[in-house]
Amino acid sequence: MGAAGMGRTQAVNQGPPAPAEALARARAAVQAAGRIVAVTGAGISAESGIPTFRGAGGLWRSFRPEDLAAPEAFQRDPRTVWEWYAWRRGLIAACVPNPGHDALARLALRQGHTTIVTQNVDGLHTRAAEIQAGGGDPTPAIPVEVHGAIDRDLCSGCGVRSPGSHSIEVSSVETLPRCVVCDALLRPDVIWFGEALETRVLSQAFSMAGQADVCLVAGTSALVHPAASIPLATLEHGGMVVEVNMEDTPLTRHAAISLRGSAGALLPALLDADDLP
Ligand code: BJW
Ligand code: ZN
């Protein structure tokens, strides 16, 4: 029996299994999988010190998304939006990957058919890939970033991309960074609410999920679409979803195996077995 069939059969109406048993089943599924896609969200970076968006301590408890993560907000008040992003850039730059990022990077580097798809804009999967590759080629563990990258700028006029600065003067609109090509305001190269995700990037994410035997979903509330639908492509293909999260999400009912706990503890326990591919 393939990994997908095995997980689904065992998941039917048996209630939550004991954590050790669920972990053992998830390890067996990962071991049996030919192709794996990992879909990650803010929860995987929480243990690196980067706040999540929703839930206790989440950014949306203190800030209104429509004031900061929407194109209308940038048109109305670019200074306030930049102030928030400059603060987050600084915070993220001071953070390092945690054992959850590391375990996923090691999996992708040793298992030739693993793709990491992340909603995170913090670049920590890429940094983990570089560290875990140890001077070798990190490419297999470089993620598909569906919501962009906070460390990059995008011209709001001509769309040209450039590396982001860490010394943005946010005291007035006049001092905000401008495009060297067309002089329009630069903005962070992230996807805001109401903006389309880049077609090529989104297609790649759905295509990888649509070929995967196991979709490992870690640290996302699975509330923001279209990213939240990516694991469903694995289910449509006949694969299984394994969820790692501190709490239930809308995806939990689709998951063959739900592992409750922190990604930093569970992902190494799940992926770092000696006998895994
Ligand atoms: C741990 C843990 C630990 C904690 N270990 N776990 C369908 C239905 C309804 C609405 C829509 C729909 N389709 C589209 C929409 C609208 C909207 C949307 O989804 N709204 C919903 C919120 C209602 N989507 C959009 O607007 C998207 N665009 C779009 O659809 O365009 C259509 C279009 C087409 C053509 C032309 C034009 C338009 C864009 C969405 C962009 C989201 N952007 C943000 C900000 C990015 C930039 C930035 O960082 O500033 O992306 S919002 C924010 O949410 C960020 C995240 O990537 C995203 C997802 O959050 P995530 O990662 O899941 O984090 P949290 O905080 O929600 O959850 C953390 C989880 O971790 C929790 O579950 C914890 O339990 C867990 N956790 N610690 C393991 N240690
Ligand atoms: Zn420009």
Side-chain angles (χ1 to χ4, degrees):
M1 187 187 297
M6 181 179 70
R8 279 203 185 144
T9 310
Q10 292 181 346
V12 175
N13 291 334
Q14 291 179 348
E21 189 221 325
L23 189 60
R25 287 200 292 124
R27 281 169 59 140
V30 168
Q31 196 168 5
R35 288 180 184 272
I36 300 169
V37 68
V39 176
T40 70
I44 195 171
S45 294
E47 289 158 272
S48 292
I50 301 175
T52 61
F53 293 92
R54 298 162 188 85
L59 290 166
W60 296 156
R61 288 284 169 103
S62 321
F63 305 96
R64 285 158 39 99
E66 58 272 35
D67 288 346
L68 298 163
E72 298 78 16
F74 188 73
Q75 277 155 20
R76 199 171 50 237
D77 186 358
R79 200 203 64 77
T80 298
V81 172
W82 259 122
E83 190 173 33
W84 191 63
Y85 277 96
W87 167 70
R88 285 180 59 214
R89 258 187 198 173
L91 187 151
I92 287 168
C95 293
V96 294
N98 67 56
H101 300 104
D102 295 343
L104 277 180
R106 283 193 295 273
L107 173 71
L109 288 166
R110 73 169 179 264
Q111 205 270 15
H113 300 287
T114 292
T115 304
I116 300 169
V117 173
T118 190
Q119 297 166 81
N120 298 345
V121 299
D122 57 33
L124 288 187
H125 283 299
T126 302
R127 284 162 69 186
E130 287 160 359
I131 294 164
Q132 295 302 315
D137 179 10
T139 311
I142 301 290
V144 178
E145 295 175 317
V146 295
H147 287 166
I150 200 168
D151 224 11
R152 216 165 46 217
D153 289 342
L154 172 71
C155 175
S156 62
C158 71
V160 76
R161 291 188 161 91
S162 50
S165 161
H166 281 274
S167 54
I168 293 163
E169 179 49 74
V170 295
S171 55
S172 78
V173 177
E174 284 68 41
T175 61
L176 295 179
R178 288 188 172 269
C179 178
V180 291
V181 179
C182 75
D183 201 41
L185 281 177
L186 298 180
R187 53 165 279 187
D189 189 12
V190 299
I191 307 289
W192 285 328
F193 283 113
E195 291 186 319
L197 281 67
E198 213 179 299
T199 309
R200 182 188 54 81
V201 173
L202 194 60
S203 305
Q204 194 189 356
F206 272 98
S207 164
M208 290 301 143
Q211 298 172 50
D213 303 307
V214 170
C215 180
L216 179 56
V217 185
T220 175
S221 60
L223 289 170
V224 176
H225 290 269
S229 308
I230 294 170
L232 304 184
T234 302
L235 294 180
E236 281 160 22
H237 161 70
M240 72 152 81
V241 169
V242 175
E243 185 181 56
V244 172
N245 200 307
M246 309 289 278
E247 56 192 32
D248 279 11
T249 75
L251 204 59
T252 305
R253 68 191 175 92
H254 298 290
I257 305 168
S258 291
L259 302 174
R260 287 286 155 270
S262 87
L266 284 171
L267 289 176
L270 173 61
L271 303 174
D272 278 346
D274 289 343
D275 53 350
L276 289 178

